Amino acid sequence: MGTLSEATLQASVPGEKKTYKGQFDIFSLCGSFVPSENNGQQTGGLTLVLFAPDGQIFGGCVAGVLIAKSPVQVTVCSYVTDGREEPAKSSDDSEASPTSSNASFGGMTGANRP
């Protein structure tokens, strides 16, 4: 996936952040964001797991800047409903009709690693 030179993660104390500097290989970067229908804000976040050169594995919730040291490959997926509401079912319907949705997949690459 790539290497970072800096990562800011949520510390174990709520509201505090910890910034790690050095060379860290990305083991996992995943998360989700869901827009709220009530106030337009997003909920969710990203989690990150890193390998340090000494073999230490650590991670947590991303709470700030991530700075790449090498090209980093990120795959992004987005699901968006078509905005139609599912029709009301009568009591004699034996099967639920699937909800229609559109899915788009994309990726951003700096360079592919061997």
Side-chain angles (χ1 to χ4, degrees):
M1 294 207 351
T3 304
L4 298 179
S5 63
E6 185 174 320
T8 302
L9 303 177
Q10 177 67 42
S12 57
V13 176
E16 290 187 19
K17 300 175 185 179
K18 183 164 184 181
T19 299
Y20 299 90
K21 294 182 180 185
Q23 180 173 324
F24 309 105
D25 288 327
I26 300 171
F27 177 72
S28 172
L29 173 66
C30 61
S32 64
F33 289 93
V34 179
S36 171
E37 292 182 15
N38 296 331
N39 57 15
Q41 295 182 342
Q42 296 179 354
T43 59
L46 296 173
T47 57
L48 177 66
V49 179
L50 300 169
F51 285 117
D54 64 359
Q56 180 184 12
I57 299 172
F58 65 97
C61 295
V62 175
V65 175
L66 301 176
I67 298 176
K69 184 174 181 111
S70 72
V72 175
Q73 181 176 345
V74 178
T75 302
V76 179
C77 179
S78 174
Y79 295 96
V80 181
T81 61
D82 63 4
R84 292 186 290 166
E85 291 186 24
E86 190 171 332
K89 298 177 209 160
S90 65
S91 60
D92 57 52
D93 284 347
S94 59
E95 292 184 32
S97 60
T99 303
S100 174
S101 65
N102 298 321
S104 61
F105 300 88
M108 299 180 297
T109 3
N112 291 333
R113 295 179 83 181

